[in-house]
């Protein structure tokens, strides 16, 4: 029988009314004769609330226990949705990550899915039940509960769709699909009918939180058809697809903004071989992902080394730097949390020159200073002061995508 995986995000299950609405939607799909596996997030705001509780106890909470705590948000929503389905006369069964056995590695807070055992899910589907799985969580080989990182329910859903061979994975959220930029920032943002996996990977990694990056990597790797759509209005959303020739005509598919990074500078480090390894080794050992790096060499044989890390990890990174900076003879550490990374993304950049020049020109016209730059084949990112982020997004969107024809 055809199988559909549906994922409902925090806002879509944010109240009891909304959970009842989701139950109606799921029930009506099931009545068309399809099997349905539903993945749910915690109710909106819940994961933040739980994280803040842990923070009240410890600045660096024990990561194992923090995951046990964070995973509890999804336990509530799977139970509520299953109850709502049963109230409609629809047999349903909730599963936590470890009950399915969604096996992950042991990197608490950012665990990767290694394997999903489909036995129990298939059994439940065979019994005519809707299977309701808690997103964002798994279990490692020693039975420890793990979480996949913020937004990780998207990854749970796409991974389930891949392992269960579903016909598609529908991601239901609070916007109608993937837009050319965040519609909450720019009212001219346009919904894309389709987007290439690679473009979506770049957009997701540069701040477009509508899909979590690993979910898109999974979708690409296993060719899962993903449909991002609204849980509130019943219209076609955006399909993630393989890149094709026609996409090269569009220079920039999207503009993204990420305010979740912090810039750290090691000031006046002696410029000698092995230094970068000495500085970034301990950061990597702490599983902190460094994004951009720049090094300014100066005449006096020292260099300023600047890099960005996720906001959630920056205190840990600074604590590590405080130890390293004496060892490498640096003169000091500067930390700047008021930054934003703005990116333009499009597969058309592979075949067209001049996107970077145009981007810098637009920012210069708005009087916005560029602090760091990085590029990939289909993306250009700049770091700017956080207070300019919305101005930059709107100006770049207008320059590359244009205004809405029928506002
Ligand atoms: P959910 O709780 O359903 O997982 P998220 O809040 O994680 O939803 O993601 C949806 C949000 O992503 C939207 O409300 C929107 O503001 C934001 N967003 C950022 N960039 C984009 C984009 N390019 N297209 C659509 N939404 C975007
Ligand atoms: N509840 C988790 C979060 O808020 C996972 C998710 O919603 O995808 O990040
Ligand atoms: Mg999300």
């Amino acid at each position: 029988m055809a199988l559909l995986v549906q994922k409902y995000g925090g806002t879509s299950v944010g109240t009891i009314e909304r959970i009842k609405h989701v139950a109606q939607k799921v029930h009506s799909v099931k009545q068309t004769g399809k099997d349905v596996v539903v993945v749910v997030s915690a109710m909106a705001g819940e994961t933040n609330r739980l994280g803040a509780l842990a923070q009240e106890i410890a600045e660096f909470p024990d990561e194992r226990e923090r995951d046990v705590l964070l995973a509890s948000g999804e336990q509530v929503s799977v139970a509520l949705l299953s109850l709502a389905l049963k109230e409609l006369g629809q047999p349903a069964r909730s599963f936590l990550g470890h009950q399915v056995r969604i096996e992950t590695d042991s990197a608490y807070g950012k665990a990767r899915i290694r394997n999903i055992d489909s036995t129990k899910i298939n059994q439940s589907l065979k019994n005519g039940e809707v299977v309701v799985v808690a997103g964002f969580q798994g279990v490692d080989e020693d039975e420890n509960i793990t979480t996949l990182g913020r937004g990780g329910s998207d990854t749970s859903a796409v991974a389930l769709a891949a392992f269960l061979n579903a016909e598609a994975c529908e991601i239901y959220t609070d916007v109608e699909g993937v837009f050319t930029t965040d519609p909450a920032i720019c009212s001219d943002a346009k919904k894309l009918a389709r987007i290439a996996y690679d473009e979506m990977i770049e957009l997701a990694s540069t701040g477009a939180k509508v899909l979590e990056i690993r979910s898109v990597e999974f979708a690409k790797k296993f060719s899962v058809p993903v449909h991002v759509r609204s849980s509130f209005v019943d219209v076609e959303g955006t399909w993630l697809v393989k890149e094709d020739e026609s996409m090269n005509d569009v220079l920039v598919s999207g503009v993204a903004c990420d305010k979740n990074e912090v810039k750290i500078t090691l000031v006046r480090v002696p410029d000698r071989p092995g230094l970068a390894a000495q500085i970034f080794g301990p950061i990597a050992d702490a599983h902190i992902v460094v994004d951009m790096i720049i090094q300014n060499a100066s005449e006096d044989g020292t260099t300023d080394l600047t890099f960005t890390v996720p906001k959630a990890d920056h205190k840990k990174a600074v604590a590590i730097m405080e130890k390293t900076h004496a060892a490498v003879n640096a003169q000091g550490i500067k930390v700047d949390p008021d930054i934003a990374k703005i990116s333009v993304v499009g597969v058309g950049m592979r075949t067209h020159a001049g996107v970077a020049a145009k981007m810098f020109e637009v920012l210069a016209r708005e009087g916005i200073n560029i602090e760091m730059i990085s590029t990939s084949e289909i993306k250009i990112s700049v770091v700017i002061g956080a207070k300019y982020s919305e101005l930059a997004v709107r100006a770049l969107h207008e320059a590359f995508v244009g205004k809405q024809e029928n506002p």
Side-chain angles (χ1 to χ4, degrees):
M1 200 186 288
L3 168 72
L4 195 59
V5 173
Q6 298 190 325
K7 177 257 171 177
Y8 292 90
T11 326
S12 308
V13 294
T15 63
I16 295 299
E17 273 322 299
R18 287 187 173 168
I19 289 175
K20 287 182 179 171
H21 173 69
V22 168
Q24 290 280 5
K25 280 174 75 78
V26 172
H27 181 48
S28 59
V29 174
K30 178 73 184 159
Q31 281 186 318
T32 65
K34 281 188 185 172
D35 277 340
V36 192
V37 171
V38 188
V39 175
V40 281
S41 293
M43 295 168 82
E46 191 54 17
T47 311
N48 285 345
R49 188 184 72 83
L50 294 167
L53 289 180
Q55 210 75 46
E56 277 182 42
I57 293 181
E59 191 182 2
F60 299 115
D62 177 85
E63 291 178 328
R64 179 186 185 277
E65 303 313 329
R66 188 169 181 272
D67 271 9
V68 173
L69 177 68
L70 292 187
S72 69
E74 273 70 11
Q75 177 160 354
V76 172
S77 43
V78 283
L80 291 174
L81 180 59
S82 304
L83 284 172
L85 283 162
K86 288 181 197 200
E87 273 310 291
L88 297 174
Q90 172 60 61
R93 180 176 291 258
S94 64
F95 287 89
L96 301 179
H98 70 90
Q99 291 176 313
V100 174
R101 206 160 171 91
I102 298 181
E103 196 174 308
T104 70
D105 62 19
S106 305
Y108 296 117
K110 46 184 102 158
R112 279 180 184 273
I113 295 175
R114 281 184 173 157
N115 188 36
I116 297 181
D117 184 346
S118 53
T119 319
K120 287 191 187 139
I121 290 183
N122 284 332
Q123 190 57 52
S124 178
L125 292 173
K126 223 195 244 161
N127 294 341
E129 292 163 337
V130 165
V131 169
V132 184
V133 180
F136 177 58
Q137 56 178 265
V139 63
D140 74 3
E141 58 186 357
D142 296 321
E143 309 302 323
N144 298 300
I145 288 173
T146 54
T147 66
L148 311 182
R150 298 308 303 267
S153 298
D154 296 336
T155 309
S156 310
V158 176
L160 275 161
F163 278 97
L164 297 170
N165 237 329
E167 62 176 25
C169 179
E170 294 183 322
I171 304 283
Y172 284 93
T173 182
D174 57 1
V175 286
E176 285 181 24
V178 179
F179 284 69
T180 47
T181 193
D182 187 345
I185 296 183
C186 181
S187 56
D188 284 325
K190 296 173 190 165
K191 183 169 75 183
L192 298 161
R194 18 179 243 142
I195 183 166
Y197 289 117
D198 283 335
E199 287 177 323
M200 194 62 234
I201 286 174
E202 293 285 16
L203 279 179
S205 72
T206 53
K209 67 170 182 163
V210 62
L211 281 178
E212 203 265 341
I213 178 166
R214 283 183 187 164
S215 71
V216 194
E217 287 168 350
F218 240 105
K220 181 185 175 193
K221 187 166 172 192
F222 296 100
S223 297
V224 179
V226 175
H227 187 190
V228 182
R229 56 194 312 193
S230 164
S231 61
F232 306 116
V233 278
D234 197 11
V235 293
E236 273 288 295
T238 304
W239 284 94
L240 265 58
V241 294
K242 285 205 178 96
E243 188 178 328
D244 67 44
E245 285 287 317
S246 70
M247 292 174 165
N248 288 334
D249 301 339
V250 180
L251 214 55
V252 168
S253 300
V255 180
C257 170
D258 188 353
K259 288 197 205 163
N260 270 313
E261 290 192 0
V262 172
K263 192 174 82 174
I264 300 175
T265 304
L266 266 186
V267 186
R268 295 173 73 86
V269 195
D271 197 4
R272 55 176 162 76
L275 202 98
Q278 212 177 335
I279 290 168
F280 292 111
I283 300 256
D285 292 344
H287 302 291
I288 298 172
V289 179
V290 174
D291 182 17
M292 289 195 195
I293 303 176
I294 54 167
Q295 193 178 0
N296 299 321
S298 72
E299 302 268 304
D300 66 358
T302 67
T303 166
D304 282 357
L305 212 127
T306 303
F307 59 96
T308 61
V309 293
K311 228 168 220 166
D313 287 331
H314 92 277
K315 285 189 182 159
K316 232 200 263 175
V318 172
I320 294 170
M321 280 303 106
E322 270 157 5
K323 285 188 201 140
T324 319
H325 105 278
V328 297
N329 260 328
Q331 272 192 8
I333 307 169
K334 282 198 281 191
V335 181
D336 184 359
D338 295 321
I339 58 157
K341 182 172 73 172
I342 311 291
S343 309
V344 296
V345 172
V347 289
M349 282 183 214
R350 286 206 184 104
T351 43
H352 295 79
V355 177
K358 182 165 169 184
M359 181 180 192
F360 303 154
E361 229 175 78
V362 170
L363 296 172
R365 217 185 305 136
E366 300 295 336
I368 299 171
N369 186 41
I370 298 172
E371 298 174 21
M372 299 171 92
I373 301 171
S374 84
T375 62
S376 81
E377 216 190 349
I378 63 164
K379 174 204 74 181
I380 303 162
S381 299
V382 296
V383 167
I384 60 172
K387 64 180 175 191
Y388 301 113
S389 62
E390 298 191 352
L391 173 65
V393 167
R394 292 198 191 107
L396 290 168
H397 188 269
E398 190 177 337
F400 285 108
V401 181
K403 280 196 171 292
Q404 189 78 268
E405 293 93 30
N406 300 307

Coordinates of all heavy atoms in Angstrom, one line a residue, residues 41-42 47 74 136 150-154, ligand 2:
S41 N 6.7 17.6 15.9 CA 7.6 18.4 16.8 C 7.0 18.6 18.1 O 5.8 18.4 18.3 CB 7.9 19.8 16.2 OG 8.6 19.7 15.0
A42 N 7.7 19.2 19.0 CA 7.1 19.6 20.3 C 6.2 20.8 20.0 O 6.4 21.5 19.0 CB 8.3 20.1 21.2
T47 N 10.5 23.5 23.2 CA 11.9 23.1 23.3 C 12.7 24.3 23.9 O 13.6 24.0 24.7 CB 12.4 22.7 21.9 OG1 11.5 21.8 21.3 CG2 13.8 22.1 21.9
E74 N 8.6 16.4 22.6 CA 7.9 15.6 21.5 C 7.1 14.4 22.1 O 6.2 14.0 21.5 CB 9.0 15.1 20.6 CG 9.4 16.0 19.4 CD 10.2 17.3 19.8 OE1 10.6 17.3 21.0 OE2 10.4 18.2 18.9
F136 N 12.9 14.6 16.2 CA 14.0 15.2 16.9 C 14.8 14.3 17.8 O 15.7 14.7 18.4 CB 13.4 16.4 17.6 CG 14.2 17.3 18.5 CD1 15.4 17.9 18.0 CD2 13.9 17.5 19.8 CE1 16.1 18.8 18.8 CE2 14.7 18.3 20.7 CZ 15.8 19.0 20.1
R150 N 18.5 21.5 16.7 CA 17.2 22.3 16.5 C 16.7 22.1 15.1 O 17.4 22.1 14.2 CB 17.5 23.8 16.8 CG 17.9 24.1 18.3 CD 17.0 23.5 19.3 NE 15.6 23.9 19.2 CZ 15.1 24.9 19.8 NH1 15.8 25.6 20.6 NH2 13.8 25.2 19.7
G151 N 15.4 22.0 15.1 CA 14.7 21.8 13.8 C 14.8 20.3 13.3 O 14.4 20.0 12.2
G152 N 15.3 19.4 14.2 CA 15.6 18.1 13.8 C 14.5 17.2 13.4 O 14.7 16.1 12.9
S153 N 13.2 17.6 13.7 CA 12.1 16.8 13.3 C 12.0 16.6 11.8 O 11.5 15.6 11.3 CB 10.8 17.4 13.9 OG 10.8 17.4 15.3
D154 N 12.5 17.6 11.1 CA 12.5 17.5 9.6 C 13.3 16.3 9.2 O 13.0 15.5 8.3 CB 13.1 18.8 9.0 CG 12.3 20.0 9.3 OD1 11.1 19.9 9.5 OD2 12.9 21.1 9.2
Ligands
LIG2 N1 11.3 20.7 18.8 C1 12.6 20.8 18.2 C2 13.0 22.2 18.0 O1 12.2 23.1 18.4 C3 12.7 20.0 16.9 C4 11.8 20.6 15.8 O2 10.9 21.3 16.1 O3 12.1 20.2 14.6 O4 14.0 22.5 17.5

